[in-house]
Amino acid sequence: MFRFVLVLFVLPLSSCAEIEEFQLRNALVKAIDDYRLVSDQVQLGDKKERVLAILLPTQKSLPAGTTRIPDQFVKDGAKVEIHYIRSGWTRDGLTTDDEFTPYIFNNGVLVGVGWTVLGGPKTKGERTPEIVVR
């Protein structure tokens, strides 16, 4: 009897977790696919407003915790803004730099795209081997 009651409580919990993981995975894949469809429309020298109007709609399906807040600072008299667009995903439960593409603006003009401009990503996802139990 106790086992039956335990199964009644555990099964719905595992199903909810699986559904949430499925929804998260779908949101990430959709954002990444949408990004890849439009990323070639952006060119160095474009105004920030144009670039973000193209890229930000691709990110609208992403839940909280899967995006990054833009950085901004002043360097050599220029206002520098870095916007991070979700462009990849490693299924490791972490949100790391290598899952984003940075777009760097100086005084509202796109001057760089990618981690090479910034010296490389600081954090990387960890691919874990799949364990098969027989």
Side-chain angles (χ1 to χ4, degrees), residues 103-122:
Y103 284 77
I104 301 98
F105 301 90
N106 280 0
N107 294 325
V109 176
L110 184 64
V111 295
V113 177
W115 286 104
T116 303
V117 179
L118 301 175
K122 306 295 183 241

Side-chain angles (χ1 to χ4, degrees), residues 24 27-28 31 59-69 84 86 88-90 92-97 99-100 123:
L24 174 61
L28 289 165
Q59 310 289 289
K60 68 182 176 212
S61 67
L62 293 172
T66 62
T67 60
R68 286 196 53 185
I69 297 170
Y84 302 94
R86 174 67 81 157
W89 174 53
T90 302
D92 59 2
L94 305 172
T95 301
T96 53
D97 290 348
E99 297 174 328
F100 297 89
T123 58

Side-chain angles (χ1 to χ4, degrees), residues 20-95:
E20 286 179 18
E21 182 180 338
F22 178 77
Q23 290 173 335
L24 174 61
R25 182 174 60 241
N26 281 351
L28 289 165
V29 169
K30 178 176 179 10
I32 293 163
D33 287 348
D34 289 351
Y35 165 75
R36 289 181 180 156
L37 288 173
V38 301
S39 63
D40 63 345
Q41 297 176 25
V42 173
Q43 303 296 320
L44 295 178
D46 286 348
K47 299 281 185 192
K48 179 179 82 168
E49 293 77 19
R50 180 182 186 286
V51 172
L52 296 181
I54 293 169
L55 299 179
L56 290 182
T58 69
Q59 310 289 289
K60 68 182 176 212
S61 67
L62 293 172
T66 62
T67 60
R68 286 196 53 185
I69 297 170
D71 291 324
Q72 57 182 328
F73 53 92
V74 175
K75 181 178 181 184
D76 299 328
K79 180 181 180 185
V80 179
E81 295 176 79
I82 306 170
H83 288 263
Y84 302 94
I85 303 298
R86 174 67 81 157
S87 57
W89 174 53
T90 302
R91 189 177 179 176
D92 59 2
L94 305 172
T95 301

